[in-house]
Amino acid sequence: MRPAARRPLKRKVNPLHAKGITEVDWKDVALLRTFISDRGKIRARRVTGLTPQQQRRVAVAIRNAREMALLPYPRAGRS
C-alpha cells in the first residue's frame, strides 16, 4: 500500500495584518473574541496564524479584558 500524498500546507493569513492592526487593545472585545474558543480558552498560535509577539500581546489583552469582566474565563470541565 502506498502512503497518501501530502498536500502542500497553505500559509494561514495573519488576521491582524489583514485588518491593518498594529496595537492590540484589551477594550476591543470584538477583535479579542476571534481569538477565544466557544469554551472561553485562548486559541493556539497555530490556529490563529499570529506571530509569536502578536500572540503574546493578544493573550495579555485577553487576560486584562477578563479581569475587567469584558470576556469570560474558561468554563470548568464537566466530569
Side-chain angles (χ1 to χ4, degrees):
M1 196 80 171
R2 211 171 112 192
R6 292 186 63 150
R7 291 182 292 171
L9 295 175
K10 183 182 172 197
R11 290 288 303 164
K12 284 217 177 280
V13 177
N14 188 320
L16 295 183
H17 282 283
K19 295 177 184 174
I21 298 170
T22 56
E23 280 299 312
V24 181
D25 189 19
W26 61 267
K27 292 171 281 208
D28 190 357
V29 179
L31 174 70
L32 295 178
R33 279 194 189 276
T34 61
F35 302 109
I36 295 180
S37 71
D38 56 338
R39 293 175 103 17
K41 293 186 175 184
I42 300 173
R43 292 186 193 271
R45 197 183 129 238
R46 62 184 166 76
V47 176
T48 60
L50 297 174
T51 65
Q53 295 86 359
Q54 289 173 330
Q55 182 69 19
R56 280 194 294 274
R57 289 186 184 131
V58 165
V60 168
I62 289 172
R63 287 189 218 119
N64 287 338
R66 283 177 176 163
E67 279 292 313
M68 299 298 168
L70 297 176
L71 291 174
Y73 280 94
R75 288 193 214 146
R78 296 183 186 232
S79 38

